Structures are given as C-alpha cells and as structure tokens.
Amino acid sequence: MITVFGSANMDLVAYVERAPELGETVSGREFRTICGGKGANQAIASALAGGDVRFVGAVGSDGFGADLREALDRSGVDTRALRTVDGPSGIAHIVVEDGGANSIIVVPGANGEVSEEDARTVSADAPQGRSAAGRTTDALLLQLELPMPAVVAAARAFSGLVVLTPAPVVPLPRELLDAVGLLLPNEHEAAAITGLPAPEEALEALLALVPEAVVTLGADGAIYGSRDGSRLRVPGRPVEAVDTTAAGDTFAGAFTVARTEGRTAQEALEFATAAAALSVQRPGASTSMPTREEIDAEVR
C-alpha cells in the first residue's frame, strides 16, 4: 500500500502565449480548474499507475473541497482519512506558457490545518511489511506543502519506505532526513538543497543525507544513486511538451508504485520516466496523468 500525506489544492490554470512580466497584463487563451496539490497529484498518479493508495490530509468546507474529494475518489484513491475543515480549500494559481513552462502561486487554505495528530494516522489500517526478498512493500509519499511539524511526525510514524519530494524547497530538519529512505528532487531542488548546480555532484551530496536519491532532469530523464554504490541514468523520452505541470509528481507516483511492486531501481526509473513523458503531452495536473495500461505500453 502507498500512503500519501500531503496537500490537496484546486488548480486555477490560465494558458497564455507567455507569462506576464511584473506589472504587465497579457491575454490568455483558456482557463481551467483542475484537481491539484502535490499530495493529491502524487496520490492520483500512484493510483492510476496501479497502486493501492490512501490519502491523508485536509480540504476545506467550500465547493472546491467537495470537488477535490470527488476527483480523488474517482481516481481510486481511498479518502477516508481526508478531513474536511471549516474554511477554504488550498488553491494554486498557475500560468502555463505555450511552450509548456509554468509558474505557480500556492495559497495553503485547509492544508495549513493539517496537524501532527493527522500525521499519526499514516500507519493506521495500513499494515507495513517486507517481501521475502527484503524489498519494501509499503511506502509513504511526502512533500512540503503541509506544516513541517506534521510532515516530520508522519515520516517518523511510518515503518515502511518514506519517499520525500522536497518541494517547495525549505530547510530540511535532521529529524526528517533521518526518517527518509529516498529523496526525490528535481535538478533545481537538488541544487538548492546542496548548493551544487551539477546534478551528478548534487546526487552524491544527497546520499550523505539519505540512503537513496533520484534527481529528475526534465526532458533529460533522471539519475539515481544509493549508498551501496549503485549509480543509474535513464534518458528522457523525446516528446513535444504541452504542459509540464505535475510531471514531477507523476514521476514520483509511478516510481513509488514500481518500487512497492518489487521492481529494480532501473525498472522503476524507466517506468516513471515513461509516465512523466506521457503526462507532459497533455494539459493540466491530475488530468494529464497516464493509466497503468498507457505506461506499460510506452515502456514496451
């Protein structure tokens, strides 16, 4: 089972030829509201990729909250641990350029109400264990759009593989890193965390913090390392990007599904890279994520 402890936001997405400069007004060509938030994105990506997924977090008592819950349910995510709190849900204002690049402003809303008490439910009704081969069979997916004390508490409460996407980039407490099994930043986040702009050098520095790390490189694929000396690189897949929103969350969800199924790191990288490549060819966050059948067909 994969437990996602994270944010749920309603994405308010404007599509433009180019993003406005400060003080500038530009005309958009389309507007959409789409279920998002890094936590919800990773939960939906994991479920569509074939995972057994539950979500722990909070939405508001507004219409967006009901829509977010419905989108998660529709994707096959167990939302029994998703609380509804009085007030607005989290939202993200996203501007997507025609080339696929985006800029995002997040307003936490209900996500800011997620507490350490919520974090203690990450292991409830979710048995952890290891396969006969010693591979972790359960995982917790974390991001940093929730209050840090709650994230730390969740990581420490979980006994399976803890996967952290360190976004948005903030200082990472030692007590959090001590509980993380795999760190999964993109190249910009890896550089911000380590102070090293070269992804390969940043990867080595990350392995001083956690046992395993993956650095995603956008169109150039991803690199992987572990403290046992393994170093892997998977190239990107040549596609025409329409919208890169949530490509990293798609990668994280698919990679975690593959690992919980006992696949090797190489196989997991190929599976996740294929999923991310499919997602950037479609608009939106959760609406762009591929199914298991689509990913399998792409990998073959």
Side-chain angles (χ1 to χ4, degrees):
M1 174 173 282
I2 296 171
T3 299
V4 179
F5 184 69
S7 59
N9 295 324
M10 184 58 72
D11 290 347
L12 312 177
V13 189
Y15 294 90
V16 298
E17 181 179 353
R18 63 171 182 83
E21 302 289 342
L22 187 64
E24 181 186 18
T25 299
V26 300
S27 295
R29 57 177 174 78
E30 188 178 358
F31 174 78
R32 296 185 182 185
T33 56
I34 302 170
C35 175
K38 296 193 73 63
N41 286 343
Q42 292 185 3
I44 291 172
S46 299
L48 291 177
D52 181 12
V53 185
R54 64 194 293 265
F55 188 82
V56 181
V59 293
S61 55
D62 56 2
F64 285 160
D67 291 342
L68 289 166
R69 185 182 297 274
E70 181 184 358
L72 288 161
D73 288 336
R74 190 169 58 247
S75 299
V77 177
D78 182 344
T79 59
R80 286 176 291 179
L82 177 62
R83 288 197 297 124
T84 298
V85 301
D86 287 338
S89 298
I91 65 99
H93 181 272
I94 304 175
V95 176
V96 180
E97 296 184 332
D98 283 348
N102 64 72
S103 57
I104 305 173
I105 300 172
V106 176
V107 182
N111 298 303
E113 302 299 317
V114 177
S115 67
E116 294 175 61
E117 183 177 350
D118 293 308
R120 286 191 283 272
T121 70
V122 297
S123 293
D125 302 320
Q128 280 78 52
R130 291 184 180 273
S131 66
R135 298 190 178 107
T136 302
T137 56
D138 296 275
L140 173 67
L141 271 171
L142 298 173
Q143 322 77 35
L144 299 175
E145 291 182 339
L146 298 181
M148 183 61 78
V151 176
V152 173
R156 297 182 68 182
F158 198 77
S159 58
L161 173 66
V162 177
V163 180
L164 172 64
T165 299
V169 175
V170 296
L172 300 175
R174 183 72 255 178
E175 58 184 334
L176 173 59
L177 291 170
D178 286 345
V180 170
L182 189 148
L183 201 59
L184 211 168
N186 64 30
E187 57 188 314
H188 307 294
E189 293 154 359
I193 292 168
T194 65
L196 300 170
E200 294 79 8
E201 295 179 3
L203 178 68
E204 299 303 320
L206 294 174
L207 292 174
L209 304 176
V210 295
E212 293 181 276
V214 175
V215 179
T216 59
L217 308 174
D220 292 327
I223 54 177
Y224 164 89
S226 69
R227 287 179 179 169
D228 68 6
S230 298
R231 299 293 183 273
L232 301 169
R233 176 182 287 270
V234 171
R237 292 171 177 261
V239 298
E240 183 175 346
V242 172
D243 184 355
T244 60
T245 305
D249 294 330
T250 302
F251 184 102
F255 185 87
T256 304
V257 168
R259 289 299 298 272
T260 59
E261 292 178 348
R263 301 194 193 195
T264 66
Q266 178 74 31
E267 292 168 337
L269 286 172
E270 292 172 353
F271 186 77
T273 300
L278 288 166
S279 76
V280 302
Q281 298 176 69
R282 306 165 179 170
S286 59
T287 54
S288 71
M289 293 170 176
T291 64
R292 176 60 172 262
E293 291 75 16
E294 290 174 319
I295 301 169
D296 285 343
E298 182 73 13
V299 172
R300 287 197 294 267

